[in-house]
Amino acid sequence: EPEVTQTPSHQVTQMGQEVILRCVPISNHLYFYWYRQILGQKVEFLVSFYNNEISEKSEIFDDQFSVERPDGSNFTLKIRSTKLEDSAMYFCASRPGLARGEQYFGPGTRLTVT
Amino acid sequence: AQRVTQPEKLLSVFKGAPVELKCNYSYSGSPELFWYVQYSRQRLQLLLRHISRESIKGFTADLNKGETSFHLKKPFAQEEDSAMYYCALRNAGGTSYGKLTFGQGTILTVHP
């Protein structure tokens, strides 16, 4: 069964550095998402992406964040200048084009900012 | 604004006992409700959704619009049910791109 994959599984970076988190959604899916979960807190929506553009974003998704689908298969989340509070588990998800299609989640990338 | 509340962070039961994980929501539009489960060291996966009205692994959940609740129930818990359970809401309306709003999650532990 096809799955969403994410790399790396764990990323450690220093404050102020740029990081790129990578996701490969399921191949025929049309909607893509990033969520994050700070340790001990709920899973929070960051951004949705459809038809090669951001369709919706949360207040968390400020100018430090960007998303890209550079080659039709990968879906990346970039954090330009990481802060300590960006430390979290980041989940990618994708869903098919059906109006009520299910979201399929990746295993997550644990980002640690020191 | 949409909000999902799971009042219990931890829930412990013994094998064979009934279990109910509570979920309440706040949303002015037309919601779709889901339960996601995360077993140890595995990814989030959909357990069930209210529009399907089906039972998965013995679990059921009924959407009660009057009480704005979507509690998850199982009559006889099994040890393999031990996991983190998340209730989530999605706007079923036409302008939505399908973002999910999650509750805090409930860690269910089923003791032998």
Side-chain angles (χ1 to χ4, degrees), chain B residues 51-112:
Chain B
I51 59 172
S52 300
R53 302 183 67 82
E54 57 188 345
S55 172
I56 305 290
K57 299 184 180 183
F59 284 98
T60 59
D62 289 317
L63 179 62
N64 185 324
K65 290 187 177 179
E67 295 183 358
T68 59
S69 68
F70 188 57
H71 303 326
L72 183 68
K73 300 176 186 178
K74 184 168 182 176
F76 308 104
Q78 304 299 313
E79 289 177 69
E80 55 265 31
D81 297 328
S82 296
M84 173 74 99
Y85 290 82
Y86 293 97
C87 183
L89 177 153
R90 180 168 83 183
N91 178 7
T95 58
S96 165
Y97 290 92
K99 76 173 186 187
L100 291 169
T101 298
F102 286 87
Q104 292 274 19
T106 298
I107 299 173
L108 173 65
T109 304
V110 182
H111 300 284

Side-chain angles (χ1 to χ4, degrees), chain A residues 3-4 31 33 35 37 40-43 45 48 50 55-56 91 95 99-103 105-107, chain B residues 3-4 9 32 36 38 43-46 49 51 84 86 90 92 96-104:
Chain A
E3 289 185 330
V4 177
Y31 296 85
Y33 307 85
Y35 295 83
Q37 185 177 30
Q41 298 186 23
K42 64 173 67 177
V43 177
F45 167 77
S48 61
Y50 170 71
S55 46
E56 192 173 3
F91 295 104
R95 76 173 174 101
R100 286 182 159 176
E102 171 188 341
Q103 281 189 34
F105 282 80
Chain B
R3 185 163 60 228
V4 177
K9 201 161 186 176
E32 278 188 273
Y36 279 81
Q38 188 173 30
R43 66 189 65 205
L44 275 164
Q45 53 188 283
L46 181 66
R49 56 203 300 181
I51 59 172
M84 173 74 99
Y86 293 97
R90 180 168 83 183
S96 165
Y97 290 92
K99 76 173 186 187
L100 291 169
T101 298
F102 286 87
Q104 292 274 19

Side-chain angles (χ1 to χ4, degrees), chain A residues 5-58:
Chain A
T5 59
Q6 289 185 244
T7 53
S9 55
H10 190 190
Q11 172 94 47
V12 182
T13 190
Q14 288 190 326
M15 199 167 52
Q17 295 297 303
E18 174 184 285
V19 293
I20 297 176
L21 309 183
R22 301 181 193 281
C23 168
V24 179
I26 295 173
S27 65
N28 60 348
H29 284 190
L30 300 180
Y31 296 85
F32 313 107
Y33 307 85
W34 283 101
Y35 295 83
R36 80 169 185 193
Q37 185 177 30
I38 295 171
L39 188 64
Q41 298 186 23
K42 64 173 67 177
V43 177
E44 300 173 289
F45 167 77
L46 290 178
V47 66
S48 61
F49 193 85
Y50 170 71
N51 203 23
N52 279 322
E53 59 184 20
I54 290 174
S55 46
E56 192 173 3
K57 60 183 180 179
S58 71

Side-chain angles (χ1 to χ4, degrees), chain B residues 4-53:
Chain B
V4 177
T5 304
Q6 292 178 250
E8 304 134 331
K9 201 161 186 176
L10 301 168
L11 186 61
S12 283
V13 300
F14 285 99
K15 177 182 168 182
V19 64
E20 182 179 50
L21 290 83
K22 293 190 177 359
C23 172
N24 287 90
Y25 67 91
S26 169
Y27 185 59
S28 55
S30 178
E32 278 188 273
L33 274 296
F34 305 83
W35 277 98
Y36 279 81
V37 61
Q38 188 173 30
Y39 299 103
S40 179
R41 288 187 290 278
Q42 293 187 30
R43 66 189 65 205
L44 275 164
Q45 53 188 283
L46 181 66
L47 180 62
L48 51 76
R49 56 203 300 181
H50 89 267
I51 59 172
S52 300
R53 302 183 67 82

